[in-house]
Amino acid sequence: MNPDLTGRIEEISIEWTDDELRQVIDNGSQALKIQIDDNIKNDMICDSFGNVGILQSLLLRLVEDEAGIEETQDFNTLIVNPVFYDNAAKGYANQLDGLYQQFAQTLSTGIRQRKKKSTGIYALSMEAIVNATDRQLMKGFSRDDIYTITNGKEPRIKKGNLKSVLKKLVELQRPETGRSLVISYDESIDSVFAIDLQLLFYRKHHTMKWPWEEMAEEARQQSLFEDDDEP
Protein backbone atom coordinates (compact mmCIF):
# COMPACT_ATOMS: atom_id res chain seq x y z
CA MET A 1 0.00 0.00 0.00
CA ASN A 2 3.10 2.27 0.11
CA PRO A 3 3.54 3.99 -3.31
CA ASP A 4 7.21 4.70 -2.52
CA LEU A 5 7.86 0.97 -2.84
CA THR A 6 6.46 0.72 -6.37
CA GLY A 7 8.93 -1.19 -8.50
CA ARG A 8 11.01 -2.25 -5.50
CA ILE A 9 8.94 -5.15 -4.24
CA GLU A 10 7.67 -8.29 -5.89
CA GLU A 11 5.00 -10.70 -4.72
CA ILE A 12 6.20 -14.29 -4.33
CA SER A 13 3.62 -17.06 -4.19
CA ILE A 14 4.67 -19.84 -1.81
CA GLU A 15 2.70 -23.03 -2.20
CA TRP A 16 3.56 -26.27 -0.43
CA THR A 17 3.17 -29.59 -2.22
CA ASP A 18 1.25 -32.46 -0.65
CA ASP A 19 4.52 -34.33 -0.13
CA GLU A 20 6.04 -31.35 1.69
CA LEU A 21 2.99 -31.03 3.93
CA ARG A 22 3.13 -34.74 4.67
CA GLN A 23 6.79 -34.35 5.66
CA VAL A 24 5.80 -31.61 8.13
CA ILE A 25 3.36 -34.06 9.75
CA ASP A 26 5.92 -36.86 9.80
CA ASN A 27 8.69 -34.68 11.26
CA GLY A 28 6.48 -33.51 14.11
CA SER A 29 5.15 -37.00 14.71
CA GLN A 30 8.65 -38.41 15.03
CA ALA A 31 9.61 -35.70 17.51
CA LEU A 32 6.56 -36.45 19.69
CA LYS A 33 6.71 -40.23 19.15
CA ILE A 34 3.18 -40.34 17.79
CA GLN A 35 1.64 -41.86 14.68
CA ILE A 36 -1.30 -40.23 12.89
CA ASP A 37 -3.64 -42.43 10.85
CA ASP A 38 -3.10 -42.08 7.08
CA ASN A 39 -6.74 -41.17 6.45
CA ILE A 40 -6.49 -38.31 8.93
CA LYS A 41 -3.23 -37.18 7.33
CA ASN A 42 -4.86 -37.16 3.90
CA ASP A 43 -7.83 -35.16 5.20
CA MET A 44 -5.54 -32.58 6.81
CA ILE A 45 -3.42 -32.20 3.69
CA CYS A 46 -6.52 -31.83 1.51
CA ASP A 47 -7.95 -29.21 3.88
CA SER A 48 -4.69 -27.23 3.98
CA PHE A 49 -4.90 -26.11 0.32
CA GLY A 50 -1.12 -25.96 0.01
CA ASN A 51 -0.81 -23.69 3.06
CA VAL A 52 1.45 -24.87 5.87
CA GLY A 53 -0.08 -22.39 8.33
CA ILE A 54 -3.48 -24.06 8.02
CA LEU A 55 -1.85 -27.47 8.43
CA GLN A 56 -0.06 -26.41 11.61
CA SER A 57 -3.25 -25.00 13.11
CA LEU A 58 -5.08 -28.26 12.39
CA LEU A 59 -2.23 -30.33 13.83
CA LEU A 60 -2.20 -28.33 17.07
CA ARG A 61 -5.92 -28.82 17.54
CA LEU A 62 -5.74 -32.51 16.66
CA VAL A 63 -2.74 -33.42 18.80
CA GLU A 64 -3.12 -31.07 21.78
CA ASP A 65 -6.83 -30.38 22.05
CA GLU A 66 -8.29 -33.68 20.87
CA ALA A 67 -5.60 -36.29 21.62
CA GLY A 68 -4.33 -34.48 24.72
CA ILE A 69 -0.66 -34.82 23.74
CA GLU A 70 1.56 -31.88 24.70
CA GLU A 71 5.01 -33.46 24.99
CA THR A 72 7.09 -36.33 23.63
CA GLN A 73 5.55 -39.67 24.57
CA ASP A 74 7.35 -42.50 26.34
CA PHE A 75 5.86 -45.03 23.93
CA ASN A 76 4.67 -44.72 20.33
CA THR A 77 1.11 -43.34 20.53
CA LEU A 78 -1.48 -43.74 17.76
CA ILE A 79 -4.05 -41.11 16.73
CA VAL A 80 -6.64 -42.98 14.71
CA ASN A 81 -10.05 -41.73 15.82
CA PRO A 82 -11.63 -39.79 12.89
CA VAL A 83 -13.85 -37.91 15.35
CA PHE A 84 -10.70 -36.23 16.69
CA TYR A 85 -10.03 -34.68 13.30
CA ASP A 86 -13.68 -33.75 12.72
CA ASN A 87 -13.66 -31.89 16.03
CA ALA A 88 -10.32 -30.25 15.26
CA ALA A 89 -11.56 -29.03 11.86
CA LYS A 90 -14.83 -27.69 13.28
CA GLY A 91 -12.97 -25.99 16.12
CA TYR A 92 -10.59 -24.26 13.74
CA ALA A 93 -13.47 -23.18 11.48
CA ASN A 94 -15.30 -21.72 14.48
CA GLN A 95 -12.14 -19.84 15.41
CA LEU A 96 -12.13 -18.26 11.94
CA ASP A 97 -15.79 -17.25 12.14
CA GLY A 98 -15.15 -13.77 13.52
CA LEU A 99 -12.59 -13.05 10.81
CA TYR A 100 -14.95 -13.85 7.95
CA GLN A 101 -17.97 -12.29 9.62
CA GLN A 102 -15.92 -9.07 9.73
CA PHE A 103 -14.81 -9.50 6.12
CA ALA A 104 -18.41 -9.99 5.01
CA GLN A 105 -19.66 -7.04 7.05
CA THR A 106 -16.94 -4.68 5.82
CA LEU A 107 -17.42 -5.63 2.19
CA SER A 108 -21.23 -5.50 2.30
CA THR A 109 -21.13 -2.10 4.03
CA GLY A 110 -18.84 -0.83 1.30
CA ILE A 111 -21.17 -2.12 -1.39
CA ARG A 112 -24.15 -0.35 0.15
CA GLN A 113 -22.20 2.90 0.28
CA ARG A 114 -21.67 2.90 -3.46
CA LYS A 115 -24.23 3.85 -6.06
CA LYS A 116 -27.41 2.16 -4.81
CA LYS A 117 -28.61 1.08 -8.22
CA SER A 118 -25.43 -0.96 -8.80
CA THR A 119 -25.92 -3.05 -5.65
CA GLY A 120 -27.06 -6.10 -7.59
CA ILE A 121 -23.91 -6.26 -9.73
CA TYR A 122 -21.70 -6.35 -6.65
CA ALA A 123 -23.94 -8.79 -4.81
CA LEU A 124 -24.17 -11.32 -7.63
CA SER A 125 -20.42 -11.01 -8.30
CA MET A 126 -19.58 -11.81 -4.67
CA GLU A 127 -22.14 -14.62 -4.65
CA ALA A 128 -20.37 -16.16 -7.67
CA ILE A 129 -16.92 -15.68 -6.15
CA VAL A 130 -17.60 -17.30 -2.77
CA ASN A 131 -19.30 -20.22 -4.53
CA ALA A 132 -16.45 -20.79 -7.02
CA THR A 133 -14.44 -24.01 -6.89
CA ASP A 134 -11.31 -24.27 -4.77
CA ARG A 135 -9.19 -24.53 -7.91
CA GLN A 136 -10.76 -21.41 -9.43
CA LEU A 137 -10.07 -19.35 -6.34
CA MET A 138 -6.52 -20.68 -6.02
CA LYS A 139 -5.53 -20.46 -9.70
CA GLY A 140 -7.76 -17.61 -10.84
CA PHE A 141 -11.52 -17.18 -11.33
CA SER A 142 -11.77 -15.38 -14.66
CA ARG A 143 -14.05 -12.44 -15.39
CA ASP A 144 -15.44 -14.49 -18.30
CA ASP A 145 -16.59 -17.19 -15.89
CA ILE A 146 -17.98 -14.67 -13.40
CA TYR A 147 -19.84 -12.94 -16.22
CA THR A 148 -21.33 -16.23 -17.45
CA ILE A 149 -22.71 -16.94 -13.97
CA THR A 150 -23.93 -13.43 -13.10
CA ASN A 151 -25.37 -12.63 -16.53
CA GLY A 152 -27.15 -15.98 -16.47
CA LYS A 153 -28.94 -14.84 -13.31
CA GLU A 154 -29.41 -11.22 -14.40
CA PRO A 155 -29.11 -10.37 -18.14
CA ARG A 156 -28.74 -6.65 -17.38
CA ILE A 157 -25.21 -7.25 -16.10
CA LYS A 158 -22.65 -6.29 -18.76
CA LYS A 159 -19.16 -7.71 -19.01
CA GLY A 160 -17.54 -4.27 -19.21
CA ASN A 161 -19.25 -3.05 -16.05
CA LEU A 162 -18.19 -6.21 -14.26
CA LYS A 163 -14.51 -5.33 -14.66
CA SER A 164 -14.89 -2.04 -12.79
CA VAL A 165 -16.75 -3.85 -10.01
CA LEU A 166 -14.04 -6.51 -9.62
CA LYS A 167 -11.35 -3.82 -9.46
CA LYS A 168 -13.19 -2.11 -6.59
CA LEU A 169 -13.44 -5.27 -4.49
CA VAL A 170 -9.98 -4.64 -3.03
CA GLU A 171 -10.72 -1.13 -1.76
CA LEU A 172 -14.09 -2.26 -0.39
CA GLN A 173 -12.20 -4.60 1.98
CA ARG A 174 -10.53 -1.46 3.41
CA PRO A 175 -6.93 -2.67 3.54
CA GLU A 176 -5.86 0.83 4.63
CA THR A 177 -7.32 0.03 8.06
CA GLY A 178 -4.84 -2.82 8.48
CA ARG A 179 -7.24 -5.59 7.49
CA SER A 180 -5.71 -8.38 5.45
CA LEU A 181 -7.16 -8.96 2.00
CA VAL A 182 -9.28 -12.06 1.56
CA ILE A 183 -9.84 -11.80 -2.21
CA SER A 184 -8.13 -9.78 -4.90
CA TYR A 185 -8.41 -9.05 -8.61
CA ASP A 186 -5.43 -9.36 -10.95
CA GLU A 187 -6.13 -7.12 -13.92
CA SER A 188 -3.20 -8.55 -15.91
CA ILE A 189 -4.95 -11.90 -16.26
CA ASP A 190 -8.47 -10.59 -15.61
CA SER A 191 -9.15 -12.96 -12.71
CA VAL A 192 -10.11 -12.99 -9.03
CA PHE A 193 -8.04 -14.91 -6.47
CA ALA A 194 -8.44 -15.94 -2.85
CA ILE A 195 -5.48 -14.28 -1.15
CA ASP A 196 -6.42 -15.83 2.19
CA LEU A 197 -6.69 -19.58 1.60
CA GLN A 198 -8.27 -20.06 5.01
CA LEU A 199 -11.46 -18.90 3.28
CA LEU A 200 -11.54 -22.21 1.40
CA PHE A 201 -11.20 -24.17 4.62
CA TYR A 202 -13.76 -22.01 6.42
CA ARG A 203 -16.50 -22.42 3.84
CA LYS A 204 -15.90 -26.19 3.73
CA HIS A 205 -16.31 -26.67 7.48
CA HIS A 206 -18.61 -23.80 8.46
CA THR A 207 -21.97 -22.85 7.00
CA MET A 208 -22.52 -19.11 6.72
CA LYS A 209 -25.24 -17.06 5.08
CA TRP A 210 -23.25 -14.35 3.33
CA PRO A 211 -24.88 -10.89 3.42
CA TRP A 212 -24.69 -10.43 -0.34
CA GLU A 213 -27.14 -13.30 -0.79
CA GLU A 214 -29.83 -11.13 0.81
CA MET A 215 -28.54 -8.09 -1.08
CA ALA A 216 -28.86 -9.94 -4.39
CA GLU A 217 -32.49 -10.81 -3.68
CA GLU A 218 -33.20 -7.22 -2.65
CA ALA A 219 -31.57 -6.01 -5.89
CA ARG A 220 -33.77 -8.30 -7.98
CA GLN A 221 -36.90 -6.94 -6.31
CA GLN A 222 -35.83 -3.31 -6.81
CA SER A 223 -34.03 -3.70 -10.17
CA LEU A 224 -30.71 -2.42 -8.79
CA PHE A 225 -28.49 -3.43 -11.71
CA GLU A 226 -27.39 -0.13 -13.25
CA ASP A 227 -23.78 0.70 -14.16
CA ASP A 228 -21.42 1.56 -11.31
CA ASP A 229 -19.94 4.77 -12.72
CA GLU A 230 -18.64 6.21 -9.45
CA PRO A 231 -14.90 7.01 -9.41
Side-chain angles (χ1 to χ4, degrees):
M1 300 301 294
N2 185 345
D4 292 340
L5 296 178
T6 301
R8 303 181 194 176
I9 60 174
E10 181 177 347
E11 288 189 11
I12 300 177
S13 177
I14 300 176
E15 184 175 336
W16 294 60
T17 66
D18 287 355
D19 287 341
E20 289 170 335
L21 293 176
R22 191 178 303 278
Q23 191 62 54
V24 170
I25 299 173
D26 291 342
N27 288 346
S29 297
Q30 291 171 13
L32 290 171
K33 290 186 69 174
I34 63 175
Q35 185 175 338
I36 299 174
D37 178 75
D38 283 342
N39 289 328
I40 295 178
K41 283 185 187 180
N42 292 337
D43 286 344
M44 279 196 293
I45 291 170
C46 180
D47 283 349
S48 295
F49 301 99
N51 185 303
V52 74
I54 297 176
L55 179 71
Q56 290 173 329
S57 295
L58 290 171
L59 280 168
L60 282 171
R61 286 189 170 272
L62 173 71
V63 176
E64 290 191 355
D65 297 348
E66 298 302 321
I69 298 172
E70 298 182 355
E71 57 187 24
T72 300
Q73 302 297 286
D74 294 330
F75 303 98
N76 194 39
T77 302
L78 305 180
I79 300 178
V80 298
N81 190 341
V83 175
F84 282 4
Y85 180 66
D86 290 342
N87 291 341
K90 289 176 183 176
Y92 184 42
N94 289 337
Q95 178 186 327
L96 296 174
D97 189 48
L99 172 66
Y100 293 111
Q101 290 281 356
Q102 182 63 59
F103 157 71
Q105 181 60 43
T106 299
L107 194 55
S108 59
T109 297
I111 292 173
R112 289 193 180 279
Q113 289 174 346
R114 297 200 62 79
K115 179 180 173 185
K116 182 175 177 60
K117 291 193 174 182
S118 66
T119 299
I121 303 176
Y122 282 96
L124 286 181
S125 296
M126 282 306 305
E127 192 174 70
I129 290 168
V130 298
N131 288 324
T133 66
D134 294 336
R135 179 173 178 79
Q136 284 174 320
L137 290 180
M138 292 174 71
K139 303 299 183 183
F141 188 25
S142 72
R143 177 164 57 108
D144 286 342
D145 289 340
I146 297 173
Y147 172 72
T148 298
I149 294 170
T150 56
N151 181 262
K153 294 181 177 180
E154 177 46 64
R156 283 172 289 184
I157 292 180
K158 300 176 183 177
K159 190 174 179 180
N161 300 337
L162 190 58
K163 183 172 185 177
S164 65
V165 165
L166 298 180
K167 289 170 65 174
K168 291 184 177 74
L169 289 179
V170 170
E171 66 182 71
L172 292 180
Q173 294 170 74
R174 300 191 63 197
E176 74 280 2
T177 64
R179 294 186 176 94
S180 298
L181 291 177
V182 175
I183 58 172
S184 187
Y185 170 67
D186 187 337
E187 191 171 1
S188 65
I189 58 173
D190 205 12
S191 297
V192 171
F193 292 86
I195 300 296
D196 182 358
L197 295 180
Q198 291 179 123
L199 172 65
L200 308 184
F201 175 86
Y202 174 76
R203 68 179 188 173
K204 180 177 180 179
H205 291 279
H206 193 289
T207 301
M208 176 179 176
K209 184 172 177 61
W210 299 99
W212 35 80
E213 295 174 12
E214 182 177 335
M215 294 169 64
E217 183 56 35
E218 174 186 316
R220 292 187 189 98
Q221 294 175 2
Q222 300 182 33
S223 298
L224 304 178
F225 292 94
E226 288 188 8
D227 297 357
D228 182 4
D229 54 6
E230 292 184 21

